[in-house]
């Protein structure tokens, strides 16, 4: 493995977050109970699961959150 490949796999922000911890900010309120979060240092995306714990935001969970937003808006903001 050459040094360029090693440098591409190891990034400074990821090392910083693993040593110090993530700086999590709320990026979007899906509903009153579900939110999406993002680390402002390394870009890690998180969301709430059914028990209220933070979990990684996968494409499947992103689709679920989009559906929740549309259902929530239809229910609360429809005329």
């Amino acid at each position: 493995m050459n040094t360029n490949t090693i440098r591409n796999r190891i990034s400074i922000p990821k090392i910083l977050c693993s040593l110090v911890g993530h700086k999590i900010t709320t990026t979007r309120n899906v509903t009153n109970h579900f939110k999406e979060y993002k680390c402002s240092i390394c870009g890690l995306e998180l969301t709430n699961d059914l028990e209220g714990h933070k979990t990684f935001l996968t494409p499947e969970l992103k689709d679920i959150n989009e559906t929740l937003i549309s259902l929530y808006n239809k229910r609360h903001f429809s005329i």
Side-chain angles (χ1 to χ4, degrees), residues 23-60:
K23 186 175 181 184
I24 303 294
T25 57
T26 303
T27 56
R28 182 164 66 165
N29 292 330
V30 178
T31 65
N32 293 336
H33 304 287
F34 289 97
K35 295 178 176 26
E36 289 184 2
Y37 307 95
K38 188 172 186 177
C39 176
S40 60
I41 298 171
C42 69
L44 178 71
E45 293 181 326
L46 304 165
T47 190
N48 297 97
D49 62 4
L50 293 175
E51 289 130 16
H53 302 112
K54 290 182 179 69
T55 184
F56 296 108
L57 186 62
T58 61
E60 180 183 359

Side-chain angles (χ1 to χ4, degrees), residues 5-18:
T5 307
I6 293 171
R7 286 183 187 159
N8 288 340
R9 290 186 180 182
I10 300 172
S11 66
I12 302 289
K14 288 183 181 181
I15 293 172
L16 184 63
C17 284
S18 67

